[in-house]
Amino acid sequence: MASTMLFSFAVSYFFILRLAAGELLGVKDAHWQPATATWYGSPDGDGSDGLRRENQDHELERILLRASQYMSNFRGGACGYGSLVDVRPLRARVGAVSPVLFKNGQGCGACYKVRCADPSICSRRAVTVIVTDECPGGYCASGRTHFDLSGAAFSRMAVAGRDPELRNRGEISVLYRRTPCKYRGKNVAFHVNEGSTEYWLSLLVEFEDGDGDIGAMHIKPSTSTEWQEMKHLWGANWCIIGGPLAGPFSVRLTTLSTQRSLSARDVIPRNWSPNATYTSRLNFI
């Protein structure tokens, strides 16, 4: 009797641990959904190599589309990650998504697994994509779910030796699903955007494990005992207007997908400065 109860307890405890582990990882969709995908840049490019898309069959169409689409965006895409897209861990995993997934910028930072749906030319290998940009027109219009991948990421979905053939197809059918973001050795960081002052403070969130996205942000200056709501500006950028705002600042972010929260106490020091990045000691995983 005692051994049976002990076994039942052990099994229950095991499943509780599995459930907790899943919650710690953040959002994860077990079901693959249909979408379409294209590629940009050089055939083996990592996604940060400037001009989007060089496929010969669609070059003119894509250049015209991208000319209007990206001229107004800051370097690094519509999420505002800037030079982060040039280096690991974002490098080669960056991607633009249609408005359905971009969610007016609140989808920035979300991670997806994407794989080609044509077994005649594609392997079952999925590539991981981090949302860093938006593609609002062309293939991405009319409510479509679309990924614009780097040449390197697009090519990795092909069967060995057939990546040129896959790229020449231009637009392909793919399957995708959400996956937890994992930045090994990184904690959540807050970049103070250029132009920030003691009356207008703007932050960019970097290296958020788990959900990757942001649904709300709050800040607590040293002169306050209560959290103050920040406003979503664009992409992954948030701001607060008031003042004078005095550091150090504590920052609390809440994910969009699962509403999980993380609070970084005094993460931004008293002597903060624009264009500086301050790293917390925390992350979601």
Side-chain angles (χ1 to χ4, degrees):
M1 179 70 174
S3 60
T4 301
M5 293 179 62
L6 182 61
F7 175 76
S8 299
F9 174 79
V11 171
S12 300
Y13 185 66
F14 171 77
F15 280 107
I16 290 173
L17 287 178
R18 290 291 299 274
L19 176 61
E23 291 176 350
L24 288 174
L25 286 174
V27 65
K28 184 173 183 179
D29 187 358
H31 302 289
W32 294 92
Q33 305 293 333
T36 53
T38 47
W39 63 278
Y40 63 86
S42 58
D44 57 351
D46 57 26
S48 61
D49 49 354
L51 181 64
R52 307 276 184 180
R53 183 81 174 160
E54 311 296 344
N55 185 279
Q56 295 180 354
D57 295 335
H58 303 278
E59 182 176 2
L60 180 58
E61 176 187 356
R62 298 292 286 171
I63 288 177
L64 292 174
L65 170 63
R66 292 298 182 184
S68 61
Q69 184 173 312
Y70 288 100
M71 282 295 287
S72 61
N73 290 338
F74 290 94
R75 182 171 178 269
C79 289
Y81 291 123
S83 60
L84 280 180
V85 302
D86 298 333
V87 296
R88 296 185 183 280
L90 270 69
R91 183 178 180 180
R93 298 199 294 169
V94 300
V97 294
S98 57
V100 172
L101 300 179
F102 191 71
K103 302 173 184 176
N104 293 318
Q106 288 187 298
C108 287
C111 296
Y112 294 88
K113 292 284 189 182
V114 181
R115 63 181 175 89
C116 177
D118 185 351
S120 69
I121 191 173
C122 297
S123 68
R124 294 184 59 84
R125 183 189 308 115
V127 295
T128 300
V129 178
I130 303 168
V131 176
T132 61
D133 210 345
E134 181 185 24
C135 54
Y139 294 116
C140 300
S142 304
R144 298 180 64 186
T145 302
H146 187 83
F147 293 85
D148 202 12
L149 307 177
S150 68
F154 194 90
S155 298
R156 278 199 295 270
M157 294 188 292
V159 172
R162 301 189 68 182
D163 47 299
E165 182 182 345
L166 182 64
R167 289 193 301 271
N168 285 338
R169 291 192 177 185
E171 182 188 23
I172 63 170
S173 296
V174 296
L175 298 172
Y176 78 97
R177 68 182 182 188
R178 281 291 295 274
T179 190
C181 299
K182 299 177 183 178
Y183 298 104
R184 298 183 186 278
K186 298 284 188 180
N187 286 330
V188 172
F190 301 92
H191 178 80
V192 180
N193 289 320
E194 183 176 0
S196 292
T197 69
E198 61 180 341
Y199 294 94
W200 184 85
L201 179 62
S202 175
L203 302 178
L204 169 74
V205 180
E206 302 173 354
F207 306 126
E208 178 195 338
D209 280 344
D211 293 351
D213 55 20
I214 304 169
M217 279 186 64
H218 293 78
I219 194 167
K220 185 165 63 175
S222 61
T223 55
S224 176
T225 58
E226 296 184 357
W227 291 100
Q228 301 177 35
E229 184 178 4
M230 301 186 74
K231 302 298 182 183
H232 181 227
L233 282 176
W234 60 278
N237 296 275
W238 296 69
C239 81
I240 184 171
I241 302 174
L245 302 167
F249 298 99
S250 299
V251 182
R252 183 175 72 198
L253 63 87
T254 303
T255 68
L256 177 69
S257 299
T258 62
Q259 289 78 55
R260 297 172 64 219
S261 293
L262 176 152
S263 299
R265 182 178 179 182
D266 296 339
V267 64
I268 301 175
R270 185 179 304 277
N271 59 340
W272 62 272
S273 61
N275 289 323
T277 300
Y278 302 99
T279 303
S280 72
R281 298 180 180 180
L282 306 168
N283 217 323
F284 282 105
I285 296 180

